[in-house]
Amino acid sequence: MSDKVTDWRNSPGHIYVLSRFLKLTDCHWADTEHYLKESKKKAIDRWLAEGIVEECDVETKVKTKYTVAELKELLKKHEEPVSGNKDVLMERALRVARGELEQWAVSVHLWQCTPDGVRIVEEHQAAEEAAKSEAMHKCLAALIEHDLKGACMAHHKYEERYERNVRYGSADYQWEGKRLERIFQCRPQAVGAVKNDEWRQLQTIAALKTLWRLDLDDDWLPEDIPALGEDRKRAINLVLANAEYRESIPDDEWIKSATIRFDDYDLSICDSCRSLNGKKFPVKELPEFPTPDCTNPEGCRCRLESDYEESEIGGAGAEFDDFEEDENPVLEPLEALKQLKG
């Protein structure tokens, strides 16, 4: 693990971990060092030295870590009353056993942000929110113009700066761009009668939702895009379901057919789509999915099980027994020498 951190204030991972100290925390999380890209101890020691976080006092540690049962056990040991709520018990325990509790607190690490730490987190979160809004609007403007590369670029620049767990490297956007292209090709019949300009709006919003992993709401839509009603949300979900299905259609030359399958416990699948469960189709004759009669507002999802065709020689499923034995097998050296002498 690298311990080279040049500017932690511009590290999304550090700000994310620091934000957990807005509340009392002991920082015992499995994913901490993954986000920090350095040891947890080194980051916390730096924050302690810079006055960004601070160790909690003994009263806070007792209140946070001691249970009522443990407080009563401690008071019983000191022959003190065990009546009252937790605050009363804690006050009594600190009065009669403070030295013991202070000694216990040395081994209990509990931190919280100082005012400087709170300010750093809040400033970063405000800047991130503004940058995300700007990037999303750039992305939307690019998608409206069908500039898929520009949309991917706007998303990538934001992720590089603010995402603690970047999903894509720059090369991955070639694959993501193809996914966006596929969305702009989707016009599922289940949506019903829609004008061309409305299709483009639905496809644009669906592409934006895919790229940013967004829930469907009106908050991020500019004023020139009509508000999302339930009908529009359903239409966008059907576009996304259709794009996902198209993406799963095999294009390998060895695959000649595929079988439609659903997850056994997916209760949302509508009757129309479920009627295709287990049916096998030639790849070039796969039906549209979701079906034109799909009633699922989220758009039914299925998976395709590919059926591989056996090759005449050496293809998928070929057995070694299919090959004829060599008419002139290689002989062991001693056997070859005997034959020569013969």
Side-chain angles (χ1 to χ4, degrees), residues 143 204-216 220 236-237 240:
L143 290 171
T204 298
I205 298 171
L208 188 69
K209 181 180 186 294
T210 295
L211 194 56
W212 287 87
R213 301 296 190 266
L214 292 169
D215 291 328
L216 289 175
W220 45 269
I236 291 168
N237 282 330
L240 291 171

Side-chain angles (χ1 to χ4, degrees), residues 224-235:
D224 56 341
I225 296 290
L228 290 174
E230 289 304 314
D231 289 343
R232 286 171 62 79
K233 288 183 180 181
R234 176 179 177 275

Side-chain angles (χ1 to χ4, degrees), residues 115 123 296 309:
E123 287 178 354
N296 183 349
E309 297 290 328

Side-chain angles (χ1 to χ4, degrees), residues 98-115:
R98 188 175 188 90
E100 186 176 340
L101 289 172
E102 286 179 342
Q103 185 177 0
W104 162 82
V106 171
S107 61
V108 177
H109 296 295
L110 192 65
W111 301 281
Q112 62 185 355
C113 278
T114 64

Side-chain angles (χ1 to χ4, degrees), residues 6 44 52 59 85 97 99 111 151 155 167 171 195-196 245 271 294 333:
T6 55
I44 293 175
I52 305 301
E59 287 82 2
N85 59 27
W111 301 281
H155 181 266
R167 285 186 292 136
K195 297 178 182 178
N196 285 336
Y245 172 68
D271 291 341
C294 178

Side-chain angles (χ1 to χ4, degrees), residues 125-143 150-159 161-162 208 211-212 214 219-222:
Q125 290 176 339
E128 179 180 356
E129 186 176 344
K132 185 173 184 178
S133 177
E134 180 182 0
M136 285 175 60
H137 279 78
K138 284 183 179 180
C139 189
L140 180 58
L143 290 171
C152 291
M153 182 69 73
H155 181 266
H156 182 51
K157 286 184 176 180
Y158 166 80
E159 277 218 331
R161 173 64 183 86
Y162 286 103
L208 188 69
L211 194 56
W212 287 87
L214 292 169
D219 295 343
W220 45 269
L221 288 177

